[in-house]
């Protein structure tokens, strides 16, 4: 990114936003912080003693599917209890063309999120439910891309099947019921027999959470690369941009002449060289920046 100090001029940012043609937002855990969703490093109870790879890799799942399912069951419970915050809602409104054109008349927009909690999807559905039914043309590009998968999807582990489907009800299986309280409160880590863990609805094989783990390719990379290549404004929301490939998107936009605006709670290494920098809770800065 550029060497100049980032601007904190909100009026100048809004002027840039209104004249931009192709806008993307790259979001991370900070977007959901205002909804009470903690990051992996902030997970409580017994989860504190594990590093990232020991809970978020396919190798870890094969070694101890009981532990991994309990970890993701805890995350599902927390996400289910959470609600989209003002930043989710503002981005969802900006995702809708009929609303966005009042702010940025000629712009397209896509949210590329690293989050798996489903709050951005719920926010978009909530906003869309308030709109009048009309025969408007489809959006020229996707409104939302969940590049790290979805916490509420269940994926078959059989290579010959690979069936994936949303399972919003919690727990996913009876054996997981109540384990979140035991583990979060450091009481005990139950051992669940593999036969009692979630199974594929199509073939009956052992299923896994439908999220992208360490060593696995993120989803939608081909279309994301196209969107990054044409974007002239990238909003970085609640992420330090240290996880690849998302870490490269802002720099890629700047390399072809676009601008980058960072919205984070505090300074990070990832905001070096940004064109704009707005510090504070995303649920406060994003609605102001997008005009909602």
């Amino acid at each position: 990114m550029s060497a100049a100090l980032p601007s904190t001029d909100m009026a100048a940012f809004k002027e840039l936003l209104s004249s931009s043609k192709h806008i993307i937002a790259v979001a991370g855990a900070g977007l959901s912080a205002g909804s009470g969703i903690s990051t992996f490093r902030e997970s409580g109870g017994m989860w504190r003693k594990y590093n990232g790879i020991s809970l978020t890799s396919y190798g870890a799942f094969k070694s101890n599917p009981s532990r991994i399912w309990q970890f993701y069951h805890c995350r599902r419970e927390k996400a289910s209890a959470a609600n989209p915050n003002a930043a989710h809602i503002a981005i969802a409104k900006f995702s809708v063309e009929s609303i966005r054109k009042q702010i940025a008349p000629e712009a397209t927009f896509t949210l590329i999120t690293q989050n798996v909690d489903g709050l951005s999807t719920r926010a978009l559905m909530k906003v869309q439910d308030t709109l009048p039914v009309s025969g408007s043309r489809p959006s020229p590009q996707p409104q939302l891309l969940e590049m790290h998968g979805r916490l509420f999807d269940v994926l078959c582990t059989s290579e010959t099947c690979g069936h994936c489907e949303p399972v919003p009800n919690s727990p996913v299986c009876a054996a997981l019921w109540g384990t979140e309280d035991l583990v979060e409160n450091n009481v005990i880590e139950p051992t669940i027999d593999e036969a009692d863990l979630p199974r594929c609805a199509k073939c009956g094989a052992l299923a896994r959470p439908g999220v992208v783990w360490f060593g696995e390719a993120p989803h939608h990379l081909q279309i994301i690369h196209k969107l990054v290549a044409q974007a002239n404004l990238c909003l970085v929301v609640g992420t330090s941009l240290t996880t690849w490939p998302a870490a490269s998107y802002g720099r890629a936009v700047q390399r072809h002449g676009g601008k980058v605006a960072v919205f984070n709670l505090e300074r990070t290494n990832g905001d070096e060289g940004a064109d704009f920098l707005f510090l504070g809770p995303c649920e406060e800065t994003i609605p102001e920046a997008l005009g909602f």
Side-chain angles (χ1 to χ4, degrees):
M1 297 188 194
S2 65
L5 291 175
S7 170
T8 58
D9 188 337
M10 184 64 80
F13 168 77
K14 289 183 176 182
E15 183 176 351
L16 173 65
L17 182 75
S18 68
S19 62
S20 295
K21 300 288 194 274
H22 300 290
I23 306 169
I24 61 172
V26 182
L31 174 60
S32 294
S35 298
I37 302 293
S38 59
T39 65
F40 168 80
R41 293 171 181 82
E42 297 169 335
S43 296
M46 294 183 180
W47 305 124
R48 290 184 182 277
K49 66 185 180 183
Y50 299 111
N51 63 38
I53 295 178
S54 69
L55 291 173
T56 56
S57 71
Y58 188 62
F61 178 78
K62 289 177 66 177
S63 298
N64 196 332
S66 170
R67 174 177 298 158
I68 303 309
W69 260 118
Q70 288 179 68
F71 174 63
Y72 280 93
H73 170 65
C74 287
R75 295 186 68 185
R76 285 169 60 101
E77 289 292 291
K78 290 180 179 179
S80 293
N83 291 306
N85 61 54
H88 290 115
I89 297 298
I91 291 173
K93 288 180 178 179
F94 197 73
S95 300
V96 177
E97 184 180 18
S98 60
I99 300 175
R100 183 176 63 252
K101 68 180 182 181
Q102 302 172 39
I103 309 296
E106 299 181 47
T108 62
F109 177 74
T110 297
L111 169 62
I112 302 165
T113 182
Q114 302 171 84
N115 296 336
V116 298
D117 52 42
L119 291 177
S120 290
T121 299
R122 287 165 55 188
L124 185 56
M125 293 174 63
K126 183 176 181 179
V127 169
Q128 289 175 331
D129 285 345
T130 66
L131 301 176
V133 177
S134 66
S136 60
R137 61 183 177 83
S139 175
Q141 63 186 56
Q143 295 168 304
L144 170 63
L145 295 172
E146 295 163 298
M147 66 183 300
H148 289 168
R150 299 169 178 166
L151 187 59
F152 293 94
D153 280 359
V154 174
L155 174 64
C156 180
T157 59
S158 170
E159 293 182 1
T160 58
C161 177
H163 176 68
C164 185
E165 66 176 351
V167 182
N169 297 331
S170 192
V172 182
C173 66
L176 290 169
W177 186 85
T179 59
E180 70 279 7
D181 292 330
L182 297 175
V183 178
E184 291 282 287
N185 294 316
N186 282 294
V187 177
I188 190 175
E189 180 188 333
T191 299
I192 302 173
D193 190 273
E194 186 173 310
D196 296 324
L197 291 172
R199 317 299 294 187
C200 174
K202 186 175 181 181
C203 74
L206 179 65
R208 53 166 279 186
V211 299
V212 175
W213 282 331
F214 284 107
E216 298 177 335
H219 301 321
H220 314 297
L221 287 183
Q222 186 173 4
I223 187 168
I224 289 173
H225 290 160
K226 290 181 180 179
L227 293 173
V228 170
Q230 72 177 10
N232 49 35
L233 176 59
C234 175
L235 313 183
V236 176
V237 182
T239 175
S240 60
L241 286 185
T242 56
T243 301
W244 289 79
S248 66
Y249 296 157
R251 292 178 176 84
V253 169
Q254 285 188 323
R255 279 198 298 271
H256 61 252
K259 303 294 184 181
V260 173
V262 174
F263 299 83
N264 269 328
L265 185 62
E266 56 190 11
R267 291 298 304 260
T268 71
N269 292 335
D271 62 43
E272 292 182 4
D275 299 286
F276 292 90
L277 176 63
F278 302 104
L279 298 180
C282 292
E283 61 272 21
E284 296 177 6
T285 57
I286 287 295
E288 179 184 0
L290 298 183
F292 302 113

